[in-house]
């Protein structure tokens, strides 16, 4: 979670820069269109014990994924410390395990739902049906203190949907473990780990309240890492010469393209599979890449002029993503729009001004 005005300003600045370039939309907005990570999530025949340690035998079935990078992507420094995640599932829970290399594990925020990312933290973002709406955020520090919330729509939505800061994930099981000594700058630690069991009934709809084989979800992971000084035997965040804090590092499971995690379309795609499954993560709709490029183009136009475009010129790379003989259909109003691409089977793949993507 980040300050709303800063997120909006950052998004506008990046998109305004893109507005000055010409060519195909998928080239122009390529920073936001790189292929998200994919992960085939194995079934847990025996649930892990949630103690913060990923030493249960069932965790050995899960592949460790180390693909963490700077949130802004190409051209930015690689993370200074390693991070890995593992996932498992059964009908009742989605299990997330994270291990973080950290030579000085420190943590002091201990009140539930305080701003945990003012400490070093690990964050889980979950959009169960992948429509960029109705998603969840869980943040934890090394103390095991939790900040959790629910968002009815993307945080970047100009109408700013209701954000449920008071939402507490019902039935969540969570634990952390420090491999070293917490808040002791006199030694060197190896790191810390976090283990979540996220209940299906807390994040799925009432009529679909169990995780099932074949589900495809959007999942984001973020690690906030501050740079620290040691003063009089106490950890303090590093400052610039003018006394302001150095900004935090944001290391994520694949980049979003800018310092903003609330871009659900940029999160990884997690596929729930049973034992014996040999395929990868199912491919996304080929038209989605173009729909998102057109979304970013509309955002850029609105940031510059206060209006949405009624027509968007396409380049050759864009047209290559369209079904043969089909073109996009754009409906606009002063404060909203919807773009649809016919799929050739009577259905339409759509995106709207809130960033919701769907088939109708």
């Amino acid at each position: 979670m980040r300050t709303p005005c800063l997120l909006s300003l950052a998004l506008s600045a990046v998109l305004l820069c893109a507005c000055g370039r010409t060519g195909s939309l998928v080239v122009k907005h390529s920073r936001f269109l790189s292929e998200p990570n994919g992960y085939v999530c194995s079934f847990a025949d025996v649930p892990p014990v949630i103690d913060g340690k990923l030493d249960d035998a069932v965790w050995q079935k899960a592949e460790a994924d180390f693909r963490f990078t700077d949130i802004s992507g190409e051209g930015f420094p690689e993370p200074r410390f390693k991070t890995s995640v593992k996932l498992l599932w059964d009908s009742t829970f989605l299990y997330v395990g994270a291990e973080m290399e950290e030579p000085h594990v420190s943590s002091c925020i201990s009140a539930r739902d305080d701003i945990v990312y003012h400490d070093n933290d690990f964050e889980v973002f979950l959009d169960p049906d992948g429509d960029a709406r109705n998603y969840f955020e869980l943040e934890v520090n090394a103390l095991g203190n939790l900040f959790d919330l629910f968002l009815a729509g993307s945080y970047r939505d100009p109408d700013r949907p209701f954000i449920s800061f008071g939402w507490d994930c019902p039935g969540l099981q969570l634990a952390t473990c420090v491999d070293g000594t917490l808040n002791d700058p006199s030694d060197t630690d190896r790191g810390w780990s976090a283990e979540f069991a996220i209940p299906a009934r807390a994040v799925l709809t009432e009529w679909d309240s169990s995780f099932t084989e074949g589900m495809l979800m959007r999942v984001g992971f973020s690690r906030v890492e501050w740079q620290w000084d040691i003063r009089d035997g106490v950890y303090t965040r590093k400052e610039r010469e003018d006394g302001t804090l150095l900004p935090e590092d944001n290391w994520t499971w694949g980049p979003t393209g800018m310092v903003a995690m609330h871009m659900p379309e940029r999160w990884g795609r997690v596929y729930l599979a049973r034992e014996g499954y040999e395929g990868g993560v199912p491919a996304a709709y080929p038209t989605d890449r173009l729909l998102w490029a057109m979304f970013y183009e509309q955002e850029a136009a609105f940031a510059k002029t206060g209006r949405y475009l009624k027509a968007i010129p396409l380049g050759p790379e864009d047209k290559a993503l369209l079904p043969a003989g089909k073109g996009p259909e754009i409906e606009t109003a002063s404060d909203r729009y919807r773009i649809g691409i016919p799929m050739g089977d009577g259905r339409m793949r759509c995106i709207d001004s809130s960033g919701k993507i769907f088939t109708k």
Side-chain angles (χ1 to χ4, degrees), residues 127-148:
D127 179 7
D129 61 4
D131 68 350
R133 299 180 67 82
N134 297 314
Y135 63 86
F136 305 85
E137 178 180 354
L138 308 171
E139 301 183 5
V140 69
N141 61 11
L143 279 172
N145 188 41
L146 180 68
F147 172 38
D148 52 355

Side-chain angles (χ1 to χ4, degrees), residues 28-328:
K28 183 177 180 179
H29 300 293
S30 60
R31 189 167 200 88
F32 306 125
L33 297 171
S34 58
E35 185 66 24
N37 288 339
Y39 187 95
V40 175
C41 183
S42 298
F43 181 77
D45 45 5
V46 177
V49 176
I50 306 301
D51 57 6
K53 304 174 184 178
L54 276 63
D55 55 1
D56 304 81
V58 69
W59 276 120
Q60 305 311 307
K61 296 176 60 174
E63 180 180 357
D65 196 317
F66 292 87
R67 290 176 291 174
F68 279 73
T69 184
D70 187 275
I71 192 171
S72 295
E74 186 176 353
F76 287 80
E78 289 296 314
R80 290 173 282 118
F81 309 127
K82 292 180 180 178
T83 308
S84 70
V85 291
K86 292 182 174 183
L87 295 98
L88 293 165
W89 72 279
D90 58 29
S91 62
T92 307
F93 291 101
L94 178 70
Y95 303 100
V96 177
E99 296 180 315
M100 290 147 283
E101 183 180 74
E102 174 61 75
H104 291 287
V105 182
S106 61
S107 191
C108 63
I109 296 171
S110 58
R112 173 72 179 263
D113 286 333
D114 270 4
I115 307 302
V116 169
Y117 64 74
H118 288 166
D119 277 344
N120 293 344
D121 79 348
F122 182 78
E123 304 174 359
V124 179
F125 297 79
L126 177 61
D127 179 7
D129 61 4
D131 68 350
R133 299 180 67 82
N134 297 314
Y135 63 86
F136 305 85
E137 178 180 354
L138 308 171
E139 301 183 5
V140 69
N141 61 11
L143 279 172
N145 188 41
L146 180 68
F147 172 38
D148 52 355
L149 66 155
F150 165 74
L151 294 95
S154 177
Y155 192 55
R156 68 189 165 200
D157 189 331
D159 292 330
R160 191 61 38 74
F162 181 70
I163 303 171
S164 300
F165 288 103
W167 178 79
D168 289 338
C169 184
L172 176 72
Q173 298 177 37
L174 169 65
T176 58
C177 181
V178 175
D179 191 359
T181 51
L182 182 65
N183 294 328
D184 183 356
S186 67
D187 64 0
T188 299
D189 306 312
R190 287 164 292 281
W192 64 288
S193 54
E195 195 173 16
F196 302 77
I198 302 171
R201 64 183 179 85
V203 296
L204 299 181
T205 60
E206 291 181 5
W207 56 87
D208 185 22
S209 57
S210 297
F211 293 118
T212 57
E213 180 181 8
M215 288 185 68
L216 183 60
M217 302 184 291
R218 285 284 191 175
V219 181
F221 300 117
S222 175
R223 177 179 174 184
V224 171
E225 183 77 11
W226 297 90
Q227 296 189 47
W228 298 88
D229 280 326
I230 299 172
R231 297 179 186 173
D232 300 323
V234 177
Y235 290 117
T236 59
R237 283 188 275 179
K238 281 189 177 181
E239 299 176 348
R240 302 183 179 96
E241 291 184 1
D242 64 2
T244 59
L245 293 174
L246 282 175
E248 78 281 11
D249 290 313
N250 293 273
W251 301 332
T252 56
W253 188 52
T256 64
M258 60 184 292
V259 184
M261 269 306 292
H262 290 269
M263 301 172 70
E265 74 278 8
R266 303 295 300 135
W267 302 343
R269 303 170 72 241
V270 173
Y271 182 75
L272 305 188
R274 287 275 187 173
E275 191 168 353
Y277 176 74
E278 296 182 354
V281 176
Y285 287 99
T287 53
D288 282 8
R289 180 175 170 82
L290 178 56
L291 285 171
W292 281 112
M294 297 178 77
F295 172 87
Y296 296 129
E297 187 71 3
Q298 288 283 35
E299 292 291 289
F302 193 85
K304 186 176 182 179
T305 69
R307 297 180 180 179
Y308 290 119
L309 301 170
K310 294 182 178 180
I312 303 176
L314 302 181
E317 292 92 343
D318 307 323
K319 293 176 181 178
L321 297 172
L322 290 169
K326 303 294 182 181

